[in-house]
């Protein structure tokens, strides 16, 4: 197909609320379901698919606020479409749900571009590698003893390069959980994520406890809004413990704030939140310019193609809930092999399709442009 022949003719969005296997918790939240917001964009006889993990409100936002600036415009011009979406949200508050809506649309447009041009997204962005290293992520704070031991054991046997568990602020309880996970992880690196549960002093104490159990990564020890607190942990915490954050950076300005404050040893980024594939590539450029590695947060299926192209990639998070949900609902969802994932080379774009008949059962909202 030649250029300028693929005007966007339709966009629909939906939300699917999928119950977890059992109630789950981290250091600051509890949940029993995960909501996937999906976007389908049509142009040139093809349909692009993208998604985010967010409230159904992000799907409403996409239909009400982004369709008017996308319909009729050239689908192949993803940079122009991205900028139009960003500008359209000026008065809505671009962070949070609005950024998630842009993210799902931008991913769908990149998928559509790959389908229109007949190439996997990694071929269009330019590959740096053929497969992506994964780390296992789960170990919820309501998992103790057998449940935590069995899962950690399973992840070690599956060959992931590292295993991450959630931790809370209570040192005594966490010391016991860390000992359980450490024993089951064997030689595999152990990582921890507090989801901002600690105050600064508590985080410093927990950092020592993590180091005592051989952990190498401490994610959001304090709120990621507390840039000085993250910097304090970097400067005063154990030398072998990397400080990571970035999952709540919703655009390049958010990544820039974390990096300029010297708040992270490793930057995290999530294309389902940070304004899409476009935003993820911007995060990679910022990580490059600040000399830090970039670790991909959640949604492993959506991230696999762009991860192959990132200059600063450390690894991709194989998050328990999302890996389960993506295997349930998406054709083309990757299957890890010895802790690595590679996309199917025969699938264009992101290489993913929503199995709508399977998803229907979980539908909580569907809409399209009037
Ligand atoms: Mg996290």
């Amino acid at each position: 197909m030649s250029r300028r022949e693929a005007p966007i003719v339709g966009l629909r969005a939906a939300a699917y609320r999928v119950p977890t296997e059992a109630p789950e918790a981290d250091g600051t939240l509890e949940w029993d379901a995960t909501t996937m917001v999906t976007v389908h964009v049509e142009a040139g006889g093809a349909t692009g698919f993208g998604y985010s993990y967010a409230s159904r409100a992000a799907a409403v936002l996409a239909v009400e606020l982004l369709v008017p600036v996308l319909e009729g415009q050239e689908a192949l011009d993803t940079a122009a479409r991205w900028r139009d979406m960003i500008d359209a949200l000026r008065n809505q508050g671009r962070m949070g749900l609005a950024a998630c809506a842009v993210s799902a649309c931008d991913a769908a447009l990149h998928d559509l571009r790959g389908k229109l041009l007949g190439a996997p997204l990694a071929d269009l962005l330019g590959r740096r590698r053929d497969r992506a290293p994964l780390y296992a992520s789960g170990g919820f704070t309501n998992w103790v003893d057998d449940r935590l031991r069995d899962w950690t054991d399973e992840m070690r046997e599956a060959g992931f390069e590292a295993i991450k568990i959630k931790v809370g602020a209570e040192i005594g309880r966490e010391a016991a959980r860390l000992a359980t996970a450490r024993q089951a992880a064997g030689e595999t690196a152990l990582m921890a994520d507090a989801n901002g549960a600690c105050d600064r002093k508590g985080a410093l104490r927990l950092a020592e406890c993590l180091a005592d159990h051989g952990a190498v990564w401490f994610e959001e020890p304090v709120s990621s809004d507390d840039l000085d607190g993250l910097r304090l942990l970097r400067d005063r915490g154990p030398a072998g413990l990397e400080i990571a954050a970035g999952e709540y950076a919703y655009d390049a300005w958010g990544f820039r704030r974390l990096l300029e404050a010297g708040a992270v040893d490793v930057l995290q980024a999530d294309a389902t939140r940070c304004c899409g594939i476009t935003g993820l590539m911007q995060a990679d450029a910022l990580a490059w310019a600040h000399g830090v590695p970039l670790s991909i947060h959640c949604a492993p299926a959506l991230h696999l193609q762009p991860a192959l192209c990132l200059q600063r990639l450390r690894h991709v998070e194989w998050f328990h809930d999302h890996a389960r949900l993506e295997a349930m609902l998406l054709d083309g969802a990757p299957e890890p092999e010895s802790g690595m994932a590679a996309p199917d080379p025969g699938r264009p774009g992101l290489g993913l399709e929503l199995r709508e008949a399977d998803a229907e059962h979980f539908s909580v909202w569907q809409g399209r442009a009037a």
Side-chain angles (χ1 to χ4, degrees), residues 103 106-107 110 121 125 271 274-282 302-303 306 350:
S103 297
D106 182 78
H110 275 85
L121 181 60
L125 296 174
C274 72
C275 298
I277 308 295
T278 305
L280 178 65
M281 301 316 282
Q282 293 169 350
L302 182 131
H303 281 112
L350 289 169

PDB file of all heavy atoms in Angstrom, residues 103 106-107 110 121 125 271 274-282 302-303 306 350:
ATOM      1  N   SER A 103      -2.302   5.878  25.520  1.00  0.00           N
ATOM      2  CA  SER A 103      -1.406   4.715  25.400  1.00  0.00           C
ATOM      3  C   SER A 103      -2.054   3.600  24.586  1.00  0.00           C
ATOM      4  O   SER A 103      -1.431   3.026  23.691  1.00  0.00           O
ATOM      5  CB  SER A 103      -1.045   4.181  26.794  1.00  0.00           C
ATOM      6  OG  SER A 103      -0.328   5.150  27.522  1.00  0.00           O
ATOM      7  N   ASP A 106      -2.361   4.771  20.955  1.00  0.00           N
ATOM      8  CA  ASP A 106      -1.052   4.823  20.277  1.00  0.00           C
ATOM      9  C   ASP A 106      -0.547   3.409  19.962  1.00  0.00           C
ATOM     10  O   ASP A 106      -0.012   3.165  18.876  1.00  0.00           O
ATOM     11  CB  ASP A 106      -0.046   5.561  21.161  1.00  0.00           C
ATOM     12  CG  ASP A 106       1.314   5.680  20.497  1.00  0.00           C
ATOM     13  OD1 ASP A 106       1.470   6.543  19.614  1.00  0.00           O
ATOM     14  OD2 ASP A 106       2.223   4.885  20.839  1.00  0.00           O
ATOM     15  N   ALA A 107      -0.766   2.484  20.889  1.00  0.00           N
ATOM     16  CA  ALA A 107      -0.364   1.086  20.634  1.00  0.00           C
ATOM     17  C   ALA A 107      -1.167   0.517  19.466  1.00  0.00           C
ATOM     18  O   ALA A 107      -0.624  -0.171  18.592  1.00  0.00           O
ATOM     19  CB  ALA A 107      -0.556   0.243  21.890  1.00  0.00           C
ATOM     20  N   HIS A 110       0.187   1.894  16.232  1.00  0.00           N
ATOM     21  CA  HIS A 110       1.451   1.239  15.852  1.00  0.00           C
ATOM     22  C   HIS A 110       1.199  -0.172  15.320  1.00  0.00           C
ATOM     23  O   HIS A 110       1.847  -0.614  14.380  1.00  0.00           O
ATOM     24  CB  HIS A 110       2.425   1.211  17.027  1.00  0.00           C
ATOM     25  CG  HIS A 110       3.221   2.470  17.150  1.00  0.00           C
ATOM     26  ND1 HIS A 110       2.762   3.579  17.811  1.00  0.00           N
ATOM     27  CD2 HIS A 110       4.433   2.802  16.647  1.00  0.00           C
ATOM     28  CE1 HIS A 110       3.670   4.547  17.724  1.00  0.00           C
ATOM     29  NE2 HIS A 110       4.683   4.101  17.025  1.00  0.00           N
ATOM     30  N   LEU A 121       6.203  -4.878  14.380  1.00  0.00           N
ATOM     31  CA  LEU A 121       6.582  -3.546  14.863  1.00  0.00           C
ATOM     32  C   LEU A 121       8.097  -3.433  15.071  1.00  0.00           C
ATOM     33  O   LEU A 121       8.692  -2.390  14.791  1.00  0.00           O
ATOM     34  CB  LEU A 121       5.828  -3.233  16.160  1.00  0.00           C
ATOM     35  CG  LEU A 121       6.115  -1.854  16.754  1.00  0.00           C
ATOM     36  CD1 LEU A 121       5.736  -0.748  15.782  1.00  0.00           C
ATOM     37  CD2 LEU A 121       5.382  -1.682  18.072  1.00  0.00           C
ATOM     38  N   LEU A 125      10.526  -0.345  13.948  1.00  0.00           N
ATOM     39  CA  LEU A 125      11.293   0.494  14.879  1.00  0.00           C
ATOM     40  C   LEU A 125      12.789   0.255  14.721  1.00  0.00           C
ATOM     41  O   LEU A 125      13.595   1.141  14.986  1.00  0.00           O
ATOM     42  CB  LEU A 125      10.879   0.191  16.330  1.00  0.00           C
ATOM     43  CG  LEU A 125       9.432   0.510  16.721  1.00  0.00           C
ATOM     44  CD1 LEU A 125       9.150   0.025  18.141  1.00  0.00           C
ATOM     45  CD2 LEU A 125       9.168   2.011  16.622  1.00  0.00           C
ATOM     46  N   ALA A 271       4.467   1.213  28.698  1.00  0.00           N
ATOM     47  CA  ALA A 271       3.856   1.795  27.491  1.00  0.00           C
ATOM     48  C   ALA A 271       2.337   1.833  27.572  1.00  0.00           C
ATOM     49  O   ALA A 271       1.702   2.544  26.797  1.00  0.00           O
ATOM     50  CB  ALA A 271       4.283   1.006  26.249  1.00  0.00           C
ATOM     51  N   CYS A 274       2.439   5.372  29.763  1.00  0.00           N
ATOM     52  CA  CYS A 274       3.279   6.554  29.482  1.00  0.00           C
ATOM     53  C   CYS A 274       3.086   7.095  28.068  1.00  0.00           C
ATOM     54  O   CYS A 274       4.033   7.526  27.437  1.00  0.00           O
ATOM     55  CB  CYS A 274       4.747   6.254  29.770  1.00  0.00           C
ATOM     56  SG  CYS A 274       5.542   5.136  28.587  1.00  0.00           S
ATOM     57  N   CYS A 275       1.835   7.087  27.603  1.00  0.00           N
ATOM     58  CA  CYS A 275       1.489   7.614  26.270  1.00  0.00           C
ATOM     59  C   CYS A 275       2.006   6.721  25.157  1.00  0.00           C
ATOM     60  O   CYS A 275       2.441   7.208  24.103  1.00  0.00           O
ATOM     61  CB  CYS A 275       1.924   9.068  26.118  1.00  0.00           C
ATOM     62  SG  CYS A 275       1.087  10.156  27.293  1.00  0.00           S
ATOM     63  N   GLY A 276       1.978   5.418  25.411  1.00  0.00           N
ATOM     64  CA  GLY A 276       2.106   4.443  24.343  1.00  0.00           C
ATOM     65  C   GLY A 276       3.517   4.065  23.938  1.00  0.00           C
ATOM     66  O   GLY A 276       4.483   4.300  24.671  1.00  0.00           O
ATOM     67  N   ILE A 277       3.590   3.433  22.761  1.00  0.00           N
ATOM     68  CA  ILE A 277       4.872   3.017  22.209  1.00  0.00           C
ATOM     69  C   ILE A 277       5.737   4.266  21.996  1.00  0.00           C
ATOM     70  O   ILE A 277       6.944   4.265  22.269  1.00  0.00           O
ATOM     71  CB  ILE A 277       4.669   2.286  20.850  1.00  0.00           C
ATOM     72  CG1 ILE A 277       3.638   1.154  20.964  1.00  0.00           C
ATOM     73  CG2 ILE A 277       6.010   1.798  20.305  1.00  0.00           C
ATOM     74  CD1 ILE A 277       4.013   0.013  21.859  1.00  0.00           C
ATOM     75  N   THR A 278       5.088   5.344  21.549  1.00  0.00           N
ATOM     76  CA  THR A 278       5.803   6.611  21.335  1.00  0.00           C
ATOM     77  C   THR A 278       6.430   7.088  22.641  1.00  0.00           C
ATOM     78  O   THR A 278       7.606   7.456  22.678  1.00  0.00           O
ATOM     79  CB  THR A 278       4.824   7.666  20.786  1.00  0.00           C
ATOM     80  OG1 THR A 278       4.205   7.132  19.608  1.00  0.00           O
ATOM     81  CG2 THR A 278       5.535   8.961  20.444  1.00  0.00           C
ATOM     82  N   GLY A 279       5.653   7.070  23.716  1.00  0.00           N
ATOM     83  CA  GLY A 279       6.168   7.504  25.017  1.00  0.00           C
ATOM     84  C   GLY A 279       7.274   6.599  25.528  1.00  0.00           C
ATOM     85  O   GLY A 279       8.231   7.053  26.167  1.00  0.00           O
ATOM     86  N   LEU A 280       7.160   5.290  25.249  1.00  0.00           N
ATOM     87  CA  LEU A 280       8.184   4.341  25.695  1.00  0.00           C
ATOM     88  C   LEU A 280       9.531   4.622  25.006  1.00  0.00           C
ATOM     89  O   LEU A 280      10.584   4.576  25.656  1.00  0.00           O
ATOM     90  CB  LEU A 280       7.733   2.913  25.389  1.00  0.00           C
ATOM     91  CG  LEU A 280       8.722   1.812  25.757  1.00  0.00           C
ATOM     92  CD1 LEU A 280       8.933   1.755  27.268  1.00  0.00           C
ATOM     93  CD2 LEU A 280       8.243   0.459  25.244  1.00  0.00           C
ATOM     94  N   MET A 281       9.481   4.934  23.719  1.00  0.00           N
ATOM     95  CA  MET A 281      10.723   5.220  23.003  1.00  0.00           C
ATOM     96  C   MET A 281      11.355   6.514  23.531  1.00  0.00           C
ATOM     97  O   MET A 281      12.584   6.659  23.579  1.00  0.00           O
ATOM     98  CB  MET A 281      10.483   5.306  21.488  1.00  0.00           C
ATOM     99  CG  MET A 281       9.894   4.042  20.856  1.00  0.00           C
ATOM    100  SD  MET A 281      10.625   2.467  21.377  1.00  0.00           S
ATOM    101  CE  MET A 281      12.153   2.457  20.420  1.00  0.00           C
ATOM    102  N   GLN A 282      10.513   7.461  23.971  1.00  0.00           N
ATOM    103  CA  GLN A 282      11.037   8.687  24.584  1.00  0.00           C
ATOM    104  C   GLN A 282      11.715   8.372  25.921  1.00  0.00           C
ATOM    105  O   GLN A 282      12.770   8.927  26.246  1.00  0.00           O
ATOM    106  CB  GLN A 282       9.896   9.697  24.790  1.00  0.00           C
ATOM    107  CG  GLN A 282       9.318  10.215  23.475  1.00  0.00           C
ATOM    108  CD  GLN A 282       8.033  11.005  23.665  1.00  0.00           C
ATOM    109  OE1 GLN A 282       7.451  11.034  24.754  1.00  0.00           O
ATOM    110  NE2 GLN A 282       7.580  11.648  22.596  1.00  0.00           N
ATOM    111  N   LEU A 302       2.231  -6.784  25.235  1.00  0.00           N
ATOM    112  CA  LEU A 302       2.269  -5.534  24.477  1.00  0.00           C
ATOM    113  C   LEU A 302       3.697  -5.000  24.339  1.00  0.00           C
ATOM    114  O   LEU A 302       4.046  -4.363  23.350  1.00  0.00           O
ATOM    115  CB  LEU A 302       1.373  -4.494  25.156  1.00  0.00           C
ATOM    116  CG  LEU A 302       1.282  -3.150  24.438  1.00  0.00           C
ATOM    117  CD1 LEU A 302      -0.173  -2.711  24.296  1.00  0.00           C
ATOM    118  CD2 LEU A 302       2.092  -2.070  25.147  1.00  0.00           C
ATOM    119  N   HIS A 303       4.531  -5.289  25.350  1.00  0.00           N
ATOM    120  CA  HIS A 303       5.880  -4.722  25.364  1.00  0.00           C
ATOM    121  C   HIS A 303       6.903  -5.507  24.555  1.00  0.00           C
ATOM    122  O   HIS A 303       8.006  -5.009  24.303  1.00  0.00           O
ATOM    123  CB  HIS A 303       6.379  -4.613  26.813  1.00  0.00           C
ATOM    124  CG  HIS A 303       5.819  -3.429  27.547  1.00  0.00           C
ATOM    125  ND1 HIS A 303       4.937  -3.554  28.588  1.00  0.00           N
ATOM    126  CD2 HIS A 303       6.009  -2.108  27.374  1.00  0.00           C
ATOM    127  CE1 HIS A 303       4.615  -2.338  29.041  1.00  0.00           C
ATOM    128  NE2 HIS A 303       5.248  -1.457  28.320  1.00  0.00           N
ATOM    129  N   PRO A 306       8.300  -3.742  21.081  1.00  0.00           N
ATOM    130  CA  PRO A 306       9.169  -2.573  21.298  1.00  0.00           C
ATOM    131  C   PRO A 306      10.397  -2.891  22.151  1.00  0.00           C
ATOM    132  O   PRO A 306      11.456  -2.278  21.949  1.00  0.00           O
ATOM    133  CB  PRO A 306       8.251  -1.552  21.984  1.00  0.00           C
ATOM    134  CG  PRO A 306       7.076  -2.319  22.482  1.00  0.00           C
ATOM    135  CD  PRO A 306       6.921  -3.498  21.570  1.00  0.00           C
ATOM    136  N   LEU A 350       1.978  -5.472  16.506  1.00  0.00           N
ATOM    137  CA  LEU A 350       2.291  -5.990  17.846  1.00  0.00           C
ATOM    138  C   LEU A 350       2.171  -7.503  17.901  1.00  0.00           C
ATOM    139  O   LEU A 350       2.629  -8.138  18.848  1.00  0.00           O
ATOM    140  CB  LEU A 350       1.338  -5.375  18.882  1.00  0.00           C
ATOM    141  CG  LEU A 350       1.537  -3.896  19.213  1.00  0.00           C
ATOM    142  CD1 LEU A 350       0.364  -3.378  20.034  1.00  0.00           C
ATOM    143  CD2 LEU A 350       2.847  -3.678  19.960  1.00  0.00           C
TER     144      LEU A 350
END
